[in-house]
Each structure stands twice: as C-alpha cells, then as structure tokens.
Amino acid sequence: VRRSAHHAHQVQGRQEVTELRVTHADMRALGYCNRGAREWLARHRLDWSRFLTEGLPAAALLATGDSLAEAVVEVARRRIGAGDPDGQ
C-alpha cells in the first residue's frame, strides 16, 4: 500500500497530540478558573489531582469533543513551540 506525504503528516500530527501534555498553567493562561476547570474535568471523568501534578495528555482532552479542550490544547502547543516543555 502506497501512502502519500499528506498521510504521513496526518500520522505525525496524531503522534504529536498523543505526546503533548496540557498543564494547569495552560488552562490558567486562558483565564479558566480552578473551580470551573475542576468541574469540567470531573464532568469528563478526568483526574483533577493528576492534572495539577503532571498535566493530562492532549489526546484525552480532545477526546471530549469540547471546544474548551481544543482551545487549551492550542495553548499547550504554542507553549511547546515557544520552548517551555513543562508549562510551569
């Protein structure tokens, strides 16, 4: 099976999302409050404590299908692009 360069880019993009971690600082950069973020994470069965200590995989947030998740993942991508891998 022959695959196009576009397909390779799509696969690479999925890999990036899988490895990218969204941090508390990324949510705060959007002005999201802790209470609202905690409730949002609970509603989507995501662990608040883990989010605070290690961040969460971008893929887990994007799997919610929520536009708020898309926005915070974009902040995390920009953070990584600016050379801040930890988001602290």
Side-chain angles (χ1 to χ4, degrees):
V1 174
R2 197 164 174 225
R3 300 189 191 245
S4 69
H6 176 70
H7 174 75
H9 177 70
Q10 287 176 326
V11 171
Q12 182 180 12
R14 271 190 300 234
Q15 182 178 6
E16 172 205 348
V17 169
T18 303
E19 296 171 359
L20 180 64
R21 295 193 79 74
V22 175
T23 67
H24 181 254
D26 296 324
M27 276 201 166
R28 295 298 293 166
L30 287 173
Y32 296 169
C33 67
N34 283 336
R35 180 178 177 183
R38 186 174 25 249
E39 290 171 0
W40 186 90
L41 289 167
R43 194 167 48 251
H44 293 286
R45 297 181 185 184
L46 296 168
D47 187 331
W48 172 254
S49 296
R50 183 172 164 218
F51 176 66
L52 290 177
T53 59
E54 6 176 320
L56 292 173
L61 296 174
L62 292 174
T64 66
D66 193 298
S67 62
L68 296 176
E70 292 173 10
V72 77
V73 167
E74 183 56 34
V75 168
R77 283 186 180 131
R78 286 194 309 259
R79 170 180 47 82
I80 294 297
D84 180 7
D86 298 327
Q88 302 300 323

